[in-house]
Amino acid sequence: MQNNNIEKEVFLSDIKTGEEAIITKVIGHGAFRKRITEMGFVKGKKVKVIKNAPLQDPVEYEIMGYNVSLRKSEAKLIEVVSAEFADIAEVKFEGCIDEHTLKTYAGEKGRKINVVLVGNPNSGKTTLYNYASGSHERVGNYSGVTVDAREATFKKLNYTFKVIDLPGTYSITEYTPEELFVRTYIAEKHPDVVINVIDASNLERNLYLTTQLIDMNIKVVIALNMSDELEKRGDILDYKALGKMMGIPIIPTIASKGKGIDDLFAKIIDVYEDRDEIVRHIHINYGNIIESSISKIQALIKISRNITDKYSSRYIAIKLLESDKTTLNQIAECSNFEKIKSQTEIEIIRLEKEFEEKSSTIITDAKYGFIAGALKETFSQKPENKTVKKRNIDDILTNKYLGFPVFIFFMWLMFQTTFTVGSYPMVMIDSAVSWIGETIKNTMTDGPLRDLLVDGIIGGVGGVIVFLPNILILFFFISFMEDSGYMARASFIMDRLMHKIGLHGKSFIPILMGFGCNVPAIMSTRTLENKKDRILTMMIIPFMSCSARLPVYVLLISAFFPHNQGLVLVSIYIIGIIIAILVALAMKKLMFSKQDVPFVMELPPYRIPTIRNTSIHMWHKAVQYLQKMGSVILIASILIWSLGYFPKNIEYSTNYEQKIKEIGNDIHLTEKAKNTKIEELQLAKESEKQEKSYIGQIGHFIEPVIRPLGFDWKIGVSIVTGLAAKEIVVSTMGVLYQASSEENSGSLQNKLQEQIHQNGNLKGQKVFNPLVAYAFMLFVLIYFPCVAVIAAIKKESDIKWAVFTMFYTTLIAWIVAFCTFQIGSLL
């Protein structure tokens, strides 16, 4: 059961003078935690605030019958509950909150465990998170799917767990933003237990991160995930012995099937309650020379208690020896900072002279030496190397000659299936939407409310919801490529081309993700180590045609390109890629000239995607799409309808009612001729009404700018409304192109085919033809990405790049559409 009501933690430093509180948790570190608990600051004990010192720090407290003073920084590491902060709805309330009630509530609070998930990419960390919490977070078989901390709260085994899923990372150095984020989160948020998710098929590499967690001196439980793959290979791991050696309990799990999850959380409870016999803090032996350097720096760090209260002094010393700049900044407040810095520099010079290596490399080698020794004692591998057989598939998928044709085939198959398979449910949904519209039209009396429901809401939202099947099919293919491991191979085969345009091979993953949605694609650029790579990748991701644009393509291609629909759609995507390449080349020369970054990327083992994960992905996207229907698109549809419906009092260029009456009384015309002329007049009246409405005035204002592209004012309005979300382009057209008689009313495709210019040089000509439709699709592909994308770019870089993206994409869109229409018209 998932609970979204996550309570705010209250600390002893929050309690006012004279008030009492019950301790629920001590979250400090090392010597501080030992000292504070020995003084009686343990779970369940009552503590009273006596007074503040004259300068407000430290604070005097009464506990267990005696007084003790603590600094506020120390009190902030003790979690409590007081009468002021107690949620009395969750405890038995009988008129007052007495000490017994508070202790009862504190006991409940003490059964809340904060857990973080840490692990390498592809270790199954997010799969475990999804299964344990019932969440629907995205899972992918490549680095960088999780790009932010996500949390879920649920109850299990009479405890409340708040589980935070941190980004996948190979280590917690400061090489990438993800690594620094994970490290900072663990150090500053003080989780009760860290779940270190390890891929059982790649122990040596995964355990490197474990050694860094050991240095941090925190409570850890290892989830030995995908443990079934060990058995399949015939390898044997004595995980209990390995756990004892490292002082960390290890629980085998198969997260994709939910196996071992209950055992894992039972073990977390034991570790949290300090009743697991295996748990102990060990020191990885780095050898006498390195240990001597660690000890000298550690002795200086221990002088500053405000640092050692939060961090392990040994961990800080090791990080300083690794020349970690972030750690150096963290200890800048120490009174003896200059001594620590000076001693660190001396030790680094000594080590590098002794080993003839960079100090960070020396530490890394020592860690892998510890891992190798531990695995030698506990792990035995079957002699035959079965990975050779498994890599036979790579002989095809990443082959020098076959790699690109296979990749292009997958792309074509994805888009062709999106049309062919998606057309069947699309027709059914379209029929249902039309039936609902007709039913409301026939049952309600004529008036603004009926017009709003039929033309505004159903015409707008209904015009977009029909494309839900196409969206789901597109995301099914993307999910399959991600979960199977093929996405990383695509990045591998594309690296050389990406290098040519000034990008890293890893940039291909965010770019490919952009075909699903540009927002997570922008966010996933955090996986790129180099800042220039990140910004350049962000600048070209908007040219990747996201699923929000797909409804526009499906609508126009279905209406004007009945043959070779898949090829037309592929051409749009290919043009987007070509423009992205050209822009990247230009920006590389003008703004981003830089040194190359080495291509280092894991090629994860191939895995058959589970139906559960693929279904979760598709369901998640369906929910997002439907939520957008009920929020942004619904509001936009109502707004667009209102702007088109008002003002009501319009001065027409001619008296249409009089003319209709005259035609009806004309005895020289047949009934068929009368109906045809009356219908033409009604259509002309409705068109003039729209032109003179508020939205028509907006459209005519921008029409001079878009007329050279072959667009009319209605297309201009659709472009403007599409700034919020590209799906709104279709809903806007659904609202605007209602100007047809009931006799000729039909699907939106038919209405687009019927549209004619009502005035000007093009009067009587069709508004849309294949050339105009294609130019319009290209404009939608390229121009201003939606507001959410601009916000993501601002968040991941800064405001100047967000503003730059808004303008330069729109300018390129105008140029491309202009060339397409003008050159196409000549031909």
Side-chain angles (χ1 to χ4, degrees):
M1 181 177 114
Q2 193 153 339
N3 176 17
N4 294 324
N5 296 321
I6 299 170
E7 298 173 45
K8 179 183 180 293
E9 284 81 8
V10 179
F11 302 99
L12 186 57
S13 56
D14 299 321
I15 308 304
K16 299 172 184 174
T17 301
E19 292 183 352
E20 296 180 344
I22 306 294
I23 297 171
T24 59
K25 198 178 294 181
V26 178
I27 59 176
H29 193 277
F32 162 76
R33 185 184 177 91
K34 185 173 184 297
R35 175 172 53 84
I36 210 78
T37 51
E38 286 173 350
M39 293 168 66
F41 287 85
V42 293
K43 184 166 63 176
K45 293 298 180 183
K46 183 177 74 173
V47 59
K48 182 178 181 180
V49 183
I50 303 300
K51 63 176 180 291
N52 289 48
L55 296 177
Q56 302 303 305
D57 200 15
V59 181
E60 183 181 341
Y61 298 96
E62 181 185 304
I63 187 168
M64 296 176 66
Y66 70 97
N67 292 8
V68 62
S69 68
L70 293 178
R71 288 173 295 164
K72 284 188 176 179
S73 61
E74 295 173 327
K76 198 163 186 175
L77 297 173
I78 301 171
E79 195 173 322
V80 299
V81 61
S82 73
E84 182 183 352
F85 293 99
D87 184 355
I88 59 173
E90 294 193 13
V91 296
K92 189 175 179 182
F93 178 61
E94 297 175 345
C96 64
I97 304 178
D98 56 18
E99 185 178 334
H100 174 71
T101 304
L102 272 182
K103 285 197 173 186
T104 303
Y105 184 58
E108 289 298 314
K109 288 275 286 183
R111 296 173 78 87
K112 179 180 176 182
I113 307 177
N114 295 324
V115 179
V116 298
L117 284 161
V118 175
N120 286 194
N122 310 312
S123 61
K125 178 175 57 64
T126 303
T127 304
L128 193 153
Y129 171 83
N130 286 344
Y131 201 98
S133 65
S135 180
H136 294 159
E137 294 297 352
R138 182 67 196 97
V139 179
N141 191 12
Y142 63 90
S143 173
V145 174
T146 311
V147 291
D148 211 341
R150 298 165 297 188
E151 66 179 51
T153 303
F154 54 91
K155 287 198 171 182
K156 191 184 282 285
L157 304 172
N158 294 321
Y159 279 77
T160 299
F161 291 91
K162 183 169 83 169
V163 180
I164 294 93
D165 180 25
L166 296 180
T169 179
Y170 295 107
S171 72
I172 46 174
T173 58
E174 56 177 2
Y175 189 54
T176 69
E178 290 166 307
E179 291 175 350
L180 194 54
F181 178 83
V182 170
R183 188 173 95 189
T184 304
Y185 192 97
I186 294 172
E188 294 185 358
K189 297 294 183 181
H190 304 286
D192 298 316
V193 180
V194 172
I195 302 176
N196 181 201
V197 184
I198 285 178
D199 178 0
S201 66
N202 200 333
L203 290 169
E204 190 170 13
R205 191 205 63 211
N206 279 248
L207 284 170
Y208 180 77
L209 177 59
T210 309
T211 62
Q212 294 179 313
L213 297 175
I214 289 171
D215 287 339
M216 294 184 82
N217 189 13
I218 53 179
K219 289 184 176 180
V220 180
V221 176
I222 289 176
L224 185 67
N225 201 30
M226 294 174 275
S227 53
D228 53 333
E229 293 192 10
L230 275 177
E231 297 174 14
K232 288 178 186 176
R233 292 207 312 261
D235 298 338
I236 298 170
L237 174 68
D238 187 347
Y239 65 88
K240 291 183 179 178
L242 180 62
K244 286 181 181 178
M245 197 178 294
M246 296 190 299
I248 299 172
I250 300 176
I251 305 296
T253 61
I254 308 172
S256 60
K257 299 177 182 176
K259 291 185 179 179
I261 304 296
D262 289 340
D263 294 337
L264 177 66
F265 279 89
K267 182 58 67 177
I268 290 167
I269 293 170
D270 288 342
V271 171
Y272 172 71
E273 297 289 2
D274 294 318
R275 57 182 184 228
D276 189 275
E277 296 177 355
I278 293 175
V279 175
R280 74 187 198 286
H281 177 55
I282 68 163
H283 286 178
I284 295 172
N285 191 336
Y286 291 101
N288 292 336
I289 298 173
I290 301 173
E291 286 293 337
S292 172
S293 295
I294 293 172
S295 298
K296 289 176 183 176
I297 299 170
Q298 197 175 357
L300 294 172
I301 293 169
K302 284 181 178 178
I303 296 172
S304 184
R305 278 174 50 193
N306 59 333
I307 294 296
T308 57
D309 287 352
K310 296 179 181 179
Y311 310 103
S312 161
S313 59
R314 180 177 172 84
Y315 163 74
I316 294 290
I318 292 168
K319 280 293 163 196
L320 289 175
L321 283 176
E322 290 177 329
S323 302
D324 190 284
K325 292 178 182 176
T326 303
T327 303
L328 196 64
N329 292 334
Q330 284 176 335
I331 65 165
E333 60 191 63
C334 294
S335 56
N336 60 340
F337 170 70
E338 289 301 328
K339 283 187 178 181
I340 296 172
K341 185 180 176 183
S342 176
Q343 187 66 46
T344 300
E345 290 169 354
I346 292 169
E347 297 304 323
I348 288 174
I349 292 169
R350 187 174 71 87
L351 290 177
E352 291 183 348
K353 185 177 180 181
E354 180 75 29
F355 291 94
E356 296 183 348
E357 277 280 9
K358 284 281 185 183
S359 59
S360 57
T361 305
I362 298 167
I363 301 288
T364 300
D365 288 345
K367 286 182 184 293
Y368 275 114
F370 167 80
I371 294 166
L375 291 179
K376 188 176 180 181
E377 297 288 327
T378 58
F379 180 62
S380 59
Q381 197 168 12
K382 198 171 181 180
E384 307 97 76
N385 187 0
K386 292 192 176 183
T387 57
V388 174
K389 294 181 182 177
K390 287 185 178 180
R391 294 195 65 81
N392 283 346
I393 191 170
D394 269 339
D395 294 340
I396 298 171
L397 296 182
T398 60
N399 183 272
K400 182 178 180 182
Y401 302 105
L402 298 176
F404 281 105
V406 169
F407 175 69
I408 292 168
F409 170 75
F410 277 143
M411 294 295 103
W412 173 84
L413 180 66
M414 177 170 69
F415 297 131
Q416 189 64 35
T417 307
T418 298
F419 265 105
T420 53
V421 176
S423 63
Y424 299 105
M426 180 181 167
V427 169
M428 294 169 62
I429 296 172
D430 192 26
S431 300
V433 170
S434 299
W435 177 82
I436 293 170
E438 286 300 316
T439 303
I440 293 174
K441 201 170 193 177
N442 295 330
T443 54
M444 289 185 68
T445 55
D446 190 18
L449 181 59
R450 190 189 78 166
D451 293 341
L452 170 62
L453 289 173
V454 175
D455 298 335
I457 296 174
I458 296 174
V461 176
V464 181
I465 203 169
V466 296
F467 302 106
L468 178 61
N470 306 89
I471 301 291
L472 292 179
I473 292 168
L474 179 68
F475 274 103
F476 168 81
F477 276 95
I478 292 176
S479 174
F480 183 87
M481 287 193 292
E482 290 171 353
D483 295 349
S484 65
Y486 180 67
M487 190 77 88
R489 270 72 185 181
S491 183
F492 172 77
I493 65 176
M494 291 296 292
D495 177 58
R496 189 163 184 180
L497 286 178
M498 300 299 287
H499 181 78
K500 294 282 187 187
I501 64 173
L503 286 171
H504 193 283
K506 286 175 75 173
S507 295
F508 186 67
I509 286 175
I511 287 170
L512 202 55
M513 283 180 70
F515 289 122
C517 180
N518 286 174
V519 175
I522 296 290
M523 294 172 68
S524 69
T525 57
R526 296 180 193 176
T527 60
L528 303 173
E529 291 84 2
N530 185 280
K531 183 180 178 182
K532 290 182 178 179
D533 278 337
R534 288 199 298 274
I535 293 175
L536 182 53
T537 305
M538 273 186 253
M539 291 299 98
I540 65 171
I541 281 174
F543 298 119
M544 302 304 111
S545 189
C546 67
S547 59
R549 298 169 171 108
L550 189 61
V552 182
Y553 306 152
V554 174
L555 172 67
L556 295 172
I557 291 172
S558 300
F560 300 101
F561 301 94
H563 306 295
N564 300 317
Q565 293 179 334
L567 287 176
V568 174
L569 183 60
V570 167
S571 71
I572 296 292
Y573 282 76
I574 289 174
I575 289 172
I577 293 169
I578 291 170
I579 291 171
I581 291 171
L582 295 174
V583 168
L585 287 169
M587 286 189 173
K588 179 189 175 185
K589 289 189 176 182
L590 297 173
M591 307 181 197
F592 296 102
S593 55
K594 63 175 181 60
Q595 293 182 337
D596 291 328
V597 176
F599 179 74
V600 181
M601 183 175 180
E602 179 191 8
L603 293 179
Y606 287 103
R607 295 190 175 101
I608 298 173
T610 63
I611 295 174
R612 185 176 187 273
N613 281 342
T614 304
S615 301
I616 283 174
H617 188 197
M618 293 176 68
W619 169 251
H620 193 44
K621 292 303 173 185
V623 169
Q624 283 184 333
Y625 195 69
L626 292 172
Q627 284 175 341
K628 197 180 278 189
M629 297 296 104
S631 56
V632 177
I633 293 172
L634 175 61
I635 294 168
S637 296
I638 294 172
L639 179 62
I640 293 158
W641 174 85
S642 301
L643 291 171
Y645 194 79
F646 297 101
K648 292 291 289 180
N649 300 320
I650 290 176
E651 291 186 16
Y652 291 102
S653 58
T654 185
N655 191 335
Y656 289 104
E657 294 302 323
Q658 180 64 33
K659 285 192 173 184
I660 290 171
K661 189 175 180 181
E662 289 174 0
I663 291 170
N665 295 329
D666 192 338
I667 58 174
H668 301 292
L669 295 174
T670 63
E671 283 300 314
K672 186 176 180 180
K674 285 181 181 180
N675 291 336
T676 302
K677 286 185 175 290
I678 289 172
E679 185 181 313
E680 288 175 356
L681 285 169
Q682 288 174 335
L683 186 60
K685 179 184 178 182
E686 186 63 29
S687 296
E688 188 174 344
K689 178 181 179 296
Q690 281 196 338
E691 284 197 55
K692 293 184 176 179
S693 66
Y694 295 128
I695 203 162
Q697 293 172 35
I698 295 170
H700 282 294
F701 177 76
I702 63 172
E703 192 175 22
V705 178
I706 60 173
R707 194 181 297 124
L709 315 182
F711 302 163
D712 71 343
W713 67 269
K714 292 182 182 178
I715 296 176
V717 171
S718 302
I719 288 170
V720 172
T721 57
L723 299 178
K726 292 298 175 281
E727 298 98 332
I728 299 178
V729 172
V730 175
S731 64
T732 302
M733 296 174 92
V735 175
L736 291 179
Y737 292 114
Q738 295 294 329
S740 62
S741 67
E742 292 184 23
E743 186 179 330
N744 289 327
S745 66
S747 67
L748 186 53
Q749 287 99 323
N750 294 334
K751 291 179 180 179
L752 294 182
Q753 291 166 351
E754 295 166 0
Q755 291 302 305
I756 58 172
H757 289 283
Q758 298 298 318
N759 48 43
N761 298 332
L762 300 175
K763 185 174 182 180
Q765 294 184 26
K766 294 280 188 181
V767 172
F768 281 97
N769 56 44
L771 182 60
V772 172
Y774 200 78
F776 183 42
M777 285 190 288
L778 289 177
F779 193 92
V780 171
L781 163 72
I782 303 166
Y783 90 112
F784 187 110
C786 69
V787 173
V789 173
I790 297 299
I793 293 173
K794 178 182 176 294
K795 182 181 177 184
E796 298 301 320
S797 55
D798 55 50
I799 187 68
K800 70 176 183 181
W801 290 114
V803 173
F804 177 71
T805 303
M806 290 161 51
F807 286 101
Y808 100 92
T809 54
T810 305
L811 177 62
I812 293 174
W814 192 93
I815 294 169
V816 170
F818 175 82
C819 293
T820 302
F821 178 72
Q822 295 296 338
I823 295 171
S825 299
L826 293 173
L827 297 175

